[in-house]
Amino acid sequence: MVQVIDLDLPVYNLVQEVPAVVPVMVGLGLDGVTSPALLKTAGRFMTLRKGAAMKQIPLSELIAQLEQAGFEVDDHESE
């Protein structure tokens, strides 16, 4: 079963629901997920979309890396 990644879900919730996404996030430079304190605070309102923008990671690169890792990406804004 393919796991769906919602780019607008808070990172805290995403990591709880799909822990396998953490290595992909770290590989892209979104390494705040490795800090439990940061995950419990900023992670409650930070989304992958916002994190990518803040770290200047093109959304297309984020989506490509997630798909390459075997995830399906739910990108509400591209609809």
Side-chain angles (χ1 to χ4, degrees), residues 3-37:
Q3 293 181 302
V4 178
I5 303 297
D6 183 344
L7 297 179
D8 298 307
L9 186 68
V11 171
Y12 177 83
N13 299 78
L14 179 61
V15 169
Q16 298 301 312
E17 293 175 19
V18 189
V21 76
V22 172
V24 178
M25 293 171 63
V26 171
L28 283 163
L30 301 171
D31 52 1
V33 296
T34 60
S35 167

Side-chain angles (χ1 to χ4, degrees), residues 6-7 12-15 28-29 33 40 42 47 53-54 57 59 61-62 69 73 75 77:
D6 183 344
L7 297 179
Y12 177 83
N13 299 78
L14 179 61
V15 169
L28 283 163
V33 296
K40 288 181 182 177
T47 66
M54 187 169 59
I57 300 167
L59 196 56
E61 182 181 339
L62 172 66
V73 178
D75 181 12
E77 288 192 8

